Amino acid sequence: MFVLAMRSIRQRPGRFLATLLSAFLGAAIIMMFHSMHDTAGQPGVDPVSSDTLGTAAGVVGGYGTLLVFFAVASTLTVNVRQRTAELELLRCSGATPAQIKRMVVGEAAAVALAGAALAIGPAMLGGRALLDMFQDGGQVARSVEYSFGPIALMSGVHITLLAAAGAAFLAVRRVTRRGRERAGARRVLAYGTLAAGAAGAGSTFFFSATDEMLMAPPAQGAIMLSVGLALMAPRLLKGVLARLALGGAGGWLAVRNLRQRAGELAGILVSLIMFTAVSTATITMQAVESDAVAASGLVKSVDAKNLETLNLTVVGIIAVFVCVMLVNSLYAATTYRSREFGQQRLAGATPGQVLRVVGTEGVILTVTGVLLGTSAALAGVVPFTVVRTDGVLPDQFLGTWLAMVAVTAAVTLGTSLGTARRVLRTPAVRAVAQAA
């Protein structure tokens, strides 16, 4: 099966580009931040600098690991779903479910290793730039020199490899089980995550307004809530679509298409929920904190500067990963529909009508993801604002929320419509014949 996996990659490398890109970015970010451990472990590094570097590596490295898994899982899920017929043919030819799993996991592991190898150079450059940023902010002494060592290298390779193998195993498991699903464990995990997020956000009220760690509980609560909602994405999307009815042939067809592809599109909803929740909550709370400090006339401590840097860095990482996940998933899912688009055109639909249906689908997904993500964001923003300023909803929320909505809409609609327009350039008869 390993030989078959390598042959599959060589014959159709294009299908693995999305996974390679996700593995590359994930490994680069993990190695970049874990190189702060290598830097902090050098002789002569003062305690304050060591604490700053260790905190950055621990916090962002942990979130990076979670994001790597979601990014790779998203791309691999789309990949495996599009190969259902191929995998079923292998099963009918005598391959056992275990052999098929080993083949797909072997493909993912090989691609992940290639992505991690390509990420070493960019990770070294990024780590050096990150150290310069800490030094420019006075959080790390100028005498500290950058080091990229075994902690960064091994963590990047191991985490990326495990995330890719685990995501591939879960993605192919549903196919090899012939449609039998066990959603009980996923549901329990989702409810547990939601409960942990609600408890984290609620614990904000046990802190004082001047506590330097005040932002941590609501931020972590918003993240956990977004993860819980993301785990429930398939059920949530099906529930929304079951109650949604749009007028016109295009609206009816868009809802029908989404209902049929709800399981596949749940990965896209995961990205939208997490990006909206985490970015909106973190940026809003950081803006509230900065304005409160400025109004008091106080100077930020080193710990406060570290927290601000980490907050903005985490948002930046999430933004990059979400864009990659969305672009990869939407591109793969839309390209795969070439035959469907060709059949619609042969039935009398114009390219403009097909694009309107795709656009309507994108709007429905975007609105659903934004609303769910906003609820998780508010669960963190409101407790923080109440404790920090005695207000309820800060003035900074609306502007931040609109900016995040604009980003999600631009990425979702831009990718889906742009890919659909490219697919529609192929003559309808050829598109149907090639996909047959």
Side-chain angles (χ1 to χ4, degrees):
M1 281 299 167
F2 180 77
V3 175
L4 187 59
M6 296 301 100
R7 182 182 301 172
S8 176
I9 294 175
R10 288 195 299 267
Q11 290 179 344
R12 301 187 66 180
R15 68 164 57 157
F16 299 100
L17 287 178
T19 304
L20 179 64
L21 179 58
S22 298
F24 167 78
L25 288 173
I29 291 173
I30 290 173
M31 287 189 285
M32 179 177 73
F33 279 94
H34 278 276
S35 68
M36 297 298 101
H37 281 310
D38 292 308
T39 303
Q42 296 181 102
V45 177
D46 62 279
V48 175
S49 298
S50 178
D51 183 64
T52 298
L53 296 172
T55 301
V59 175
V60 182
Y63 286 133
T65 302
L66 179 64
L67 290 170
V68 168
F69 181 82
F70 272 111
V72 176
S74 177
T75 56
L76 282 174
T77 298
V78 175
N79 182 296
V80 171
R81 284 183 181 276
Q82 293 176 354
R83 298 170 62 189
T84 301
E86 173 190 338
L87 298 179
E88 183 66 18
L89 179 61
L90 287 174
R91 191 190 62 78
C92 293
S93 300
T96 65
Q99 289 175 323
I100 295 175
K101 289 177 183 176
R102 286 198 295 270
M103 182 192 74
V104 176
V105 171
E107 294 172 352
V111 173
L113 286 175
L118 293 173
I120 294 176
M124 296 177 68
L125 296 176
R128 189 175 299 276
L130 182 63
L131 177 61
D132 291 340
M133 182 178 67
F134 282 127
Q135 290 175 333
D136 291 340
Q139 299 148 267
V140 175
R142 289 287 181 182
S143 59
V144 176
E145 296 184 358
Y146 178 69
S147 175
F148 186 92
I151 297 178
L153 183 62
M154 299 308 295
S155 62
V157 173
H158 287 165
I159 292 174
T160 305
L161 182 60
L162 289 175
F169 178 83
L170 294 176
V172 75
R173 186 170 181 266
R174 179 175 299 177
V175 176
T176 56
R177 288 176 63 85
R178 303 185 191 182
R180 290 177 296 171
E181 300 181 15
R182 293 181 179 177
R186 184 189 184 101
R187 189 177 302 116
V188 170
L189 180 60
Y191 289 151
T193 307
L194 290 173
S203 66
T204 306
F205 296 102
F206 294 99
F207 289 78
S208 65
T210 57
D211 197 314
E212 290 186 347
M213 297 304 296
L214 174 62
M215 196 182 302
Q220 293 174 358
I223 293 173
M224 295 299 290
L225 287 170
S226 68
V227 172
L229 291 174
L231 290 171
M232 298 180 65
R235 294 184 62 198
L236 293 172
L237 182 58
K238 291 177 181 178
V240 170
L241 295 174
R243 296 167 176 78
L244 184 63
L246 299 179
W252 178 86
L253 185 59
V255 174
R256 177 179 176 276
N257 290 340
L258 290 175
R259 287 172 179 168
Q260 292 181 337
R261 300 163 55 232
E264 174 186 335
L265 297 175
I268 298 172
L269 195 60
V270 168
S271 305
L272 294 171
I273 293 172
M274 293 191 65
F275 175 75
T276 303
V278 178
S279 58
T280 302
T282 306
I283 294 178
T284 300
M285 288 188 289
Q286 186 58 61
V288 172
E289 175 64 22
S290 298
D291 290 347
V293 173
S296 66
L298 299 176
V299 178
K300 289 184 179 180
S301 64
V302 173
D303 290 339
K305 289 182 178 179
N306 289 342
L307 184 59
E308 181 177 1
T309 301
L310 290 176
N311 285 336
L312 298 179
T313 303
V314 168
V315 171
I317 292 173
I318 291 174
V320 171
F321 261 96
V322 166
C323 288
V324 171
M325 291 167 64
L326 280 176
V327 170
N328 286 344
S329 301
L330 285 168
Y331 179 83
T334 307
T335 302
Y336 187 69
R337 301 174 67 186
S338 59
R339 184 181 185 185
E340 174 190 336
F341 293 161
Q343 291 174 332
Q344 291 175 356
R345 292 161 64 191
L346 290 176
T350 65
Q353 290 173 324
V354 175
L355 288 176
R356 283 195 292 274
V357 172
V358 173
T360 303
E361 295 172 2
V363 170
I364 295 173
L365 284 175
T366 301
V367 171
T368 303
V370 165
L371 290 178
L372 292 173
T374 302
S375 64
L378 288 173
V381 170
V382 172
F384 176 80
T385 307
V386 170
V387 175
R388 189 68 176 90
T389 67
D390 293 330
V392 177
L393 191 64
D395 297 334
Q396 298 89 339
F397 178 81
L398 181 58
T400 303
W401 182 79
L402 290 175
M404 298 306 105
V405 170
V407 172
T408 56
V411 173
T412 305
L413 296 179
T415 303
S416 57
L417 290 175
T419 306
R421 189 181 299 276
R422 173 181 169 274
V423 171
L424 288 172
R425 293 175 183 171
T426 304
V429 175
R430 185 188 305 175
V432 173
Q434 288 177 344

